[in-house]
Amino acid sequence: MSASDVKERAQRLLALHRPGDPVILPTVWDAWSARLAVDAGFAALTVGSHPLADSIGKPDNEGMSFDDNITRVAQITAAVDVPVSVDVESGYGETPVRLIEGLLSVGAVGLNIEDTVHAEGRRLRSPQEHAELVGRLRAAADAAGVHVVINARTDLFLRQDGDEADRVDRAIDRMKLAADAGADVLYPVGRHDPDTMRRLTSELPLPVNAIGLPDQDDPASFGPLGVGRVSFGPYFQAALAARGNEILSRWT
């Protein structure tokens, strides 16, 4: 893939993020699942760390290495002609420059970066520390000449961190810092009730990523909440696994 192709895919991915008219990014993990999604008509994809790790027999939460990740991503980008974003967990202990250069080397044009540091006892980065990392990723992408789409994720809801009474406030403050540092999308990962999601999308300055259950949620339900992006996390793979078990159980 040429440098101009990579730049074009990055711009295409960024332009797909429209609050109220969300881009749906099926979460894939190999060339087969990527082709399945593209053949179904999706305009872009995201690679999920959980299903990818499962597919190579390693645990999520950085049980695989960054090299494991981009080896599989290279197979995906070679198989499909759409923009691909990649979950890089908390960064695998790599420098921002290495993360950006590694992703661009295999044709990926977006990333998710979370604030749980798995290699350090799953500690939560401070809001300022996470924003600084986002800023360094943006600087590395700028230096490479590609507007890599940075999806800044917070795990406050997933971890049920701190007092529930002010968790939304703290998440908003944290993600605003990430936005100021150069993020393009904000990902308060978790399943939120409609009122919480409306508050997040109305108070945050960038498109918000929601997680969808592909076999259960109404695709039309996210736009009215102001969502700008929907991905499936591990739930697409889980839904396929459930159906696979139904088929296989007929033969055992």
Side-chain angles (χ1 to χ4, degrees), residues 18-42:
R18 297 183 295 267
D21 181 20
V23 59
I24 312 299
L25 298 184
T27 305
V28 301
W29 54 91
D30 62 7
W32 174 83
S33 57
R35 286 196 189 105
L36 187 71
V38 171
D39 288 349
F42 291 94

Side-chain angles (χ1 to χ4, degrees), residues 180-233:
D180 290 343
D184 299 293
V185 191
L186 302 170
Y187 190 11
V189 65
R191 296 280 291 173
H192 304 296
D193 63 75
D195 287 342
T196 299
M197 184 56 78
R198 287 190 191 95
R199 185 178 170 203
L200 290 166
T201 60
S202 64
E203 295 190 26
L204 289 171
L206 294 173
V208 173
N209 190 158
I211 194 164
L213 304 183
D215 56 338
Q216 300 177 43
D217 286 336
D218 178 359
S221 67
F222 293 94
L225 299 178
V227 170
R229 167 173 170 160
V230 180
S231 53
F232 298 151

